[in-house]
């Protein structure tokens, strides 16, 4: 009986191993991208997957590829995240001065337990399903599908451009598809327009009555923060004569925000120009100095963190503080361990100095960090504890309200302008954890700005007048110039509010940190998180 011979099929020299455990890496990224937690770059991920799929016959070569792939995979994951470029982190030496408690608090904010639970389910499901299904096909198919969708999206603007209409240039910009080229062009045109805008301070020909100007620059207060803690309708804003409902601070960091305020006499500059030599006509304090105002500075903090005081003095033409608050008792301890003094006590001390000063006009720049993220409250045993935002915000509102009452009792003519630097980012969103302000999102830069005129004629209505148009610092400079130019008031005569507030300069919402830009285009926010990078719709915040 002959033996049946079974032919042996030769194994191919090259076999495709599949992605193996790397499937889990890509599937997690795809799910995070689907949920809006990640900005998945399709081409680099496809290239990475292709390199992992190339068959290698040598065992040592496979091991070497795996050793190289792990750090590359981590770096690519970081690139796909909404986190700032690593170079930006290296440019932040001040982080080394954070207290240990604050660093621990920040680390805890990166942990989203709901997301951790979801990822655990994904890992268990993968380990279970991978026993029966070849998931490499699913992973590559999903990546390819996203890649083809991107290619179709890139072709849409080109088709539109091939059939231009007869509308004006401005209408084309406003109606064009919001692709990267269109938004880059929009941003450039915005800065070109802003470069030509100026507020002219003219010496008054009508014997203008002297008044003091107090610019109160508040760190970490946005409309979103006030809504979050139930303080939107607070006594401080309710007693203002004018409230700006749609004011954009144009940045999410303190130094740039203060510089922009102190250069309010010119249109909005790109971030990189804030640290160059400012045109003389842009410097608000210089403009006021030429009109007879003495410039002064006061802080409720040391101003030493990242050289804040030196920075705003050099870029905003400010003198050294004439009054020291160092002998006051600490109200809080800053995120860097430095003292923060109570606003009411600091302002009362400055006002005592002002009343002994014979200058007819004084312009004060006051900066407060009472609401800064990471500040800590003092305890009875001499230690510190975490300070919640709402009690600090309420204390600041109470202190400023009491100080305004004191100004009213003084009988002096004073214009108080309250201008927050930026918000506190209490919520966080899909791009940033709570407290992180690397990206100047609308919820951070949409800040409550108010003006209170003391001894200068209040508004006819008991409620504030509201400016609803999109505005920024140029509008404040224009109001200050108009206040100075206003003629002397007869006894019992009020200001001409119509003349003061009509036709104020409007500024579209464009905000910028170092390397990061957020702008409003056709009513929707878009973000560019890398210099010359692609524009993306700003993801909706968490609900």
């Amino acid at each position: 009986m002959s033996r049946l011979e079974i032919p042996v099929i030769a194994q191919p020299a090259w076999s495709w191993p599949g992605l193996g455990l790397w499937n889990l890496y890509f599937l997690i990224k795809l799910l995070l991208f689907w949920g809006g937690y990640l900005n998945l770059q399709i081409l680099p991920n496809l290239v990475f997957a292709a390199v992992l799929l190339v068959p290698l016959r040598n065992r040592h070569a496979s091991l070497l590829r795996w050793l190289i792939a792990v750090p590359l995979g981590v770096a690519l994951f970081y690139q796909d995240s909404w986190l700032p470029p690593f170079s930006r982190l290296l440019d932040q030496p001040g982080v080394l001065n954070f207290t240990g408690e604050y660093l621990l608090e920040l680390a805890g904010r990166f942990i989203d337990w709901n997301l951790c639970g979801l990822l655990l389910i994904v890992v268990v499901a993968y380990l279970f399903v991978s026993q029966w299904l070849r998931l490499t096909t699913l992973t590559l198919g999903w990546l390819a599908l996203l890649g083809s969708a991107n290619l179709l999206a890139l072709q849409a603007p080109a088709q539109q451009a091939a059939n231009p209409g007869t509308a004006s240039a401005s209408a084309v910009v406003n109606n064009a598809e919001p692709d990267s080229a269109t938004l880059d062009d929009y941003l450039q045109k915005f800065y070109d327009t802003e470069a030509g805008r100026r507020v002219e301070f003219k010496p008054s020909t009508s014997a203008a009555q002297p008044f003091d100007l107090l610019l109160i620059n508040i760190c970490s207060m946005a409309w979103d923060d006030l809504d979050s803690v139930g303080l939107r309708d607070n006594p401080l804003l309710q007693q203002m004569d004018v409230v700006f409902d749609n004011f954009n601070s144009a940045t999410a960091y303190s130094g740039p925000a203060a510089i922009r305020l102190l250069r309010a006499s010119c249109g909005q500059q790109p971030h990189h120009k804030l640290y160059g030599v400012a045109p003389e006509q842009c410097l608000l304090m210089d403009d006021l100095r030429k009109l007879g105002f003495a410039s002064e500075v006061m802080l409720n903090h040391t101003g030493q963190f990242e050289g804040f005081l030196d920075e705003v003095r050099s870029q905003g033409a400010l003198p050294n503080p004439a009054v020291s608050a160092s002998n006051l008792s600490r109200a809080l301890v800053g995120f860097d361990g430095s003292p923060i003094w109570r606003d009411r006590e600091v302002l009362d001390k400055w006002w005592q100095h002002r009343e002994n000063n014979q200058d007819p006009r004084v312009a004060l720049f006051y900066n407060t960090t009472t609401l800064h993220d990471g500040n800590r409250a003092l305890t009875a045993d001499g230690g510190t504890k975490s300070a919640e935002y709402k009690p600090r915000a309420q204390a600041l509102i109470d202190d400023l309200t009491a100080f305004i009452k004191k100004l009213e009792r003084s009988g002096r003519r004073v214009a108080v302008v309250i201008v927050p630097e930026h918000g506190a980012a209490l919520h966080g969103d899909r791009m940033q954890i709570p407290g992180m302000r690397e990206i100047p999102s609308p919820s951070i830069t949409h800040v409550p700005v108010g003006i209170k005129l003391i001894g200068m004629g209040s508004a006819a209505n008991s409620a504030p007048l509201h400016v609803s148009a999109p505005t920024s610092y140029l509008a404040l400079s224009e109001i200050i110039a108009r206040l100075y130019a206003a003629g002397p008031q007869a006894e019992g005569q009020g200001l001409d509010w119509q003349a003061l507030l009509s036709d104020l300069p409007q500024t579209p919402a464009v905000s910028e940190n170092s390397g990061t830009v957020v702008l409003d285009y056709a009513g929707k926010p878009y973000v560019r998180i890398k210099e010359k990078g692609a524009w993306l719709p700003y993801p909706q915040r968490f609900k």
Side-chain angles (χ1 to χ4, degrees):
M1 185 175 179
S2 63
R3 180 180 298 175
L4 179 63
E5 295 184 2
I6 301 175
V8 178
I9 300 175
Q11 295 293 324
W14 297 89
S15 62
W16 296 92
L19 289 172
L21 198 59
W22 285 104
N23 277 301
L24 182 60
Y25 169 87
F26 287 107
L27 290 173
I28 286 176
K29 291 177 79 171
L30 288 164
L31 288 171
L32 291 176
F33 171 71
W34 176 74
Y37 297 93
L38 212 63
N39 169 35
L40 191 65
Q41 303 171 89
I42 300 300
L43 182 59
N45 280 276
L46 280 172
V47 171
F48 187 48
V51 171
L52 293 172
L53 282 171
V54 173
L56 296 176
R57 303 166 73 177
N58 187 291
R59 179 171 172 271
H60 294 92
S62 298
L63 178 61
L64 179 61
R65 178 174 62 182
W66 187 86
L67 292 174
I68 296 174
V70 169
L72 283 178
V74 172
L76 184 57
F77 208 115
Y78 188 91
Q79 282 285 101
D80 284 337
S81 76
W82 297 115
L83 293 171
F86 198 70
S87 58
R88 172 65 179 157
L89 300 180
L90 297 177
D91 290 338
Q92 299 286 330
V95 174
L96 300 176
N97 296 323
F98 288 175
T99 62
E101 295 91 344
Y102 186 41
L103 289 172
L104 193 61
E105 181 183 340
L106 288 175
R109 294 181 194 174
F110 278 96
I111 301 175
D112 183 337
W113 293 110
N114 292 327
L115 184 57
C116 289
L118 177 62
L119 293 179
L120 177 61
I121 293 173
V122 170
V123 171
V124 172
Y126 166 80
L127 294 175
F128 182 76
V129 172
S130 63
Q131 300 177 78
W132 296 284
L133 296 180
R134 184 176 171 86
L135 294 177
T136 298
T137 304
L138 175 64
T139 301
L140 295 177
W142 202 350
L143 285 171
L145 182 64
L146 290 174
S148 61
N150 283 358
L151 288 175
L152 290 174
L154 288 174
Q155 291 175 358
Q159 293 171 0
Q160 182 177 359
N163 298 287
T166 57
S168 66
S170 60
V172 171
V173 170
N174 291 333
N175 296 325
E177 186 76 19
D179 63 328
S180 290
T182 299
L183 295 177
D184 281 338
D185 184 58
Y186 177 87
L187 181 64
Q188 187 58 53
K189 288 182 178 178
F190 169 80
Y191 281 130
D192 289 344
T193 301
E194 291 295 299
R197 304 176 83 189
R198 298 281 188 277
V199 171
E200 190 174 356
F201 284 76
K202 298 178 181 179
S204 177
T205 58
S206 57
Q209 295 167 287
F211 65 91
D212 290 341
L213 173 67
L214 276 58
L215 299 174
I216 298 181
N217 202 208
I218 301 174
C219 176
S220 303
M221 177 188 281
W223 286 112
D224 187 73
D225 302 318
L226 296 177
D227 285 336
S228 179
V229 297
L231 290 176
R232 185 183 186 94
D233 298 320
N234 62 75
L236 178 63
L237 292 178
Q238 288 173 352
Q239 68 175 313
M240 293 290 108
D241 293 315
V242 181
V243 171
F244 290 78
D245 297 325
N246 204 6
F247 190 97
N248 181 43
S249 69
T251 184
Y253 275 100
S254 299
I259 294 171
R260 290 188 183 281
L261 173 59
L262 293 168
R263 296 185 181 182
S265 298
C266 286
Q268 186 171 321
Q269 292 182 302
H271 177 85
H272 68 274
K273 289 190 176 180
L274 294 179
Y275 298 92
V277 178
E280 187 176 345
Q281 65 269 30
C282 296
L283 298 171
L284 178 60
M285 286 300 194
D286 259 2
D287 288 331
L288 295 171
R289 195 177 296 116
K290 293 171 185 175
L291 301 179
F293 285 82
S295 299
E296 295 204 1
V297 177
M298 196 74 187
L299 314 174
N300 82 327
H301 55 101
T302 65
Q304 294 177 1
F305 182 75
E306 293 192 334
F308 174 83
L309 179 56
D310 292 338
E311 184 176 277
V312 296
R313 285 187 59 238
S314 61
Q315 302 298 337
L318 291 175
N320 265 317
V323 181
S324 173
S326 58
N327 61 338
L328 298 175
S329 299
R330 296 181 303 172
L332 296 163
V333 174
F335 56 91
D336 60 344
S338 63
I340 296 175
W341 302 288
R342 182 158 185 177
D343 292 284
R344 184 188 304 180
E345 295 179 2
V346 176
L347 287 168
D348 283 349
K349 187 170 184 178
W350 178 83
W351 187 245
Q352 183 180 5
H353 155 78
R354 169 63 187 118
E355 290 191 309
N356 294 327
N357 188 326
Q358 300 304 312
D359 290 319
R361 298 179 178 89
V362 170
L364 170 72
F365 172 78
Y366 176 72
N367 184 268
T368 169
T369 59
T370 295
L371 302 182
H372 197 290
D373 189 54
N375 288 350
R376 298 182 66 81
L378 301 170
T379 57
D381 60 359
T384 63
K385 64 178 182 180
S386 179
E388 296 294 326
Y389 183 88
K390 183 174 182 178
R392 288 184 286 137
Q394 187 65 65
L396 175 61
I397 289 168
D398 293 343
D399 283 358
L400 294 180
T401 300
F403 180 64
I404 287 175
K405 298 297 183 187
K406 185 171 189 173
L407 296 179
E408 291 174 333
R409 293 192 298 269
S410 72
R412 287 183 177 271
R413 290 164 50 84
V414 184
V416 179
V417 182
I418 295 176
V419 194
E421 300 171 348
H422 52 72
L426 292 181
H427 278 294
D429 54 31
R430 283 176 169 81
M431 296 190 77
Q432 301 184 107
I433 62 170
M436 188 174 182
R437 293 176 279 106
E438 283 295 325
I439 302 171
S441 67
S443 63
I444 297 174
T445 62
H446 181 206
V447 297
V449 170
I451 297 177
K452 177 69 175 177
L453 304 182
I454 298 168
M456 302 172 67
S458 298
N461 301 323
S462 57
L465 299 171
H466 287 264
V467 177
S468 58
T471 52
S472 197
Y473 302 101
L474 196 68
L476 295 181
S477 183
E478 178 66 28
I479 288 180
I480 294 168
R482 293 179 185 182
L483 280 174
Y484 179 81
Q489 298 164 248
E491 185 68 27
Q493 180 185 8
L495 277 172
D496 184 350
W497 290 96
Q498 178 67 24
L500 186 66
L501 299 179
S502 64
D503 298 322
L504 288 174
Q506 297 186 22
T507 305
V510 174
S511 304
E512 188 176 1
N513 286 349
S514 177
T516 307
V517 185
V518 177
L519 57 79
D520 182 277
Y521 183 85
K524 295 181 180 179
Y526 293 85
V527 59
R528 189 182 70 189
I529 58 177
K530 297 171 186 173
E531 198 72 38
K532 299 181 180 179
W535 289 90
L536 302 163
Y538 198 95
Q540 292 184 351
R541 61 177 302 145
F542 292 125
K543 300 296 183 184

